[in-house]
Amino acid sequence: KIGAMPDGAIIVTGSLNMDFVVQVERLPAPGETARGSNFQTIPGGKGANQACAAARLARSNPVSMIGRVGYDAFADHLRASLAAAGVDTSRIHGCRRAPTGVALIWVDRTGQNSIVIAPGANDELAPADLETERQAFVSAACALFQLETPLETVAAGLRLARAGGALSILDPAPARPLPGDVLALVDLVTPNETEACLLAGREPGRIRAAEAPGLAAALRQRGPRAVVLKLGDQGCYYSGPEGEWHAPAFQVQAIDATAAGDTFNGALAVALAEGRPVPEALRFANAAAALSVTRLGAQASIPAREEAEQFLRQQPQC
Ligand code: RIB
């Protein structure tokens, strides 16, 4: 069964980026100069977004983040954003060799985005940095990972999570091929459509809901105990030891999809750490992600617990 130690901590290992966000009518083609508006700097980074989501959505589970930032003004801003959300930032260390990570993001009028990251200090997060935090994985309910830090560091974290008994959740984003020995260390992997196609060795493209069971089975054969396919406006599909479920997406007015997947993962970790059954956890994660899409920016868009619950109360039960 996929479950987490109740009341344990949620520990997120991953990236912190300062996002430079510009809204555009449509995403520019190669070589094109586009005119944008509403430039903003907004705290982001897949790891930090997941930590922020878990902290805003948790009732009582403590949330902590492991990561690296430079010695610059962005680092202070990113730490402050997480601390304000309730994340323990004492495991985010400074790095002298590289600046804080940044992301350049264009968001079009349909809410779709294009992102380029310059990882900076995120690339300096080493397996040894996680070794020194070994104890944190022992008391954790869930350990969350993504792929904006070096793969050997993610693998080291997954090993610590397994040894410590924490439920590991890997968001395989940004998409990259993953070796079987890394996937075998994962309890729950949560690819979007592009990432799922890459991991399953098929052409990137949309996944029809009818294809989800076959694709999830193919991914589980590569090692993880369970899979959640994040299917955008088609919702999500879970396949694990206790069964298979499709949770439809909530319809909202999309402003910006940035960090919707991160919000989903943070929310899913919270719900599983609270011991909620998988279908309920998926519904909660879909609700939090849907709310995040209605607002601009990464951490700026992540809802609080009360907001997610109120949104759910307004939805017809299905
Ligand atoms: O998933 C969204 C995030 O991807 C952004 O906040 C950006 O920093 C990139 O890491």
Side-chain angles (χ1 to χ4, degrees), residues 15 17 19 44-46 49 103 105 115 117 148 258-259 262 298:
S15 57
N17 294 329
D19 292 350
K46 294 186 194 305
N49 297 343
I105 305 182
I115 304 183
I117 57 166
E148 282 184 342
T258 307
D262 302 328

Side-chain angles (χ1 to χ4, degrees), residues 123-134 137 150-157 159-160:
D123 264 355
E124 304 293 326
L125 188 71
D129 297 326
L130 273 60
E131 272 299 331
T132 58
E133 303 293 353
R134 172 178 287 271
F137 290 90
L151 186 58
E152 72 256 29
T153 306
V154 174
R159 269 184 230 107
L160 289 170

Side-chain angles (χ1 to χ4, degrees), residues 221-242:
Q221 275 190 346
R222 294 208 55 212
R225 294 173 57 220
V227 173
V228 175
L229 298 174
K230 295 191 274 199
L231 303 173
D233 56 7
Q234 301 178 95
C236 62
Y237 185 85
Y238 174 92
S239 168
E242 58 282 85

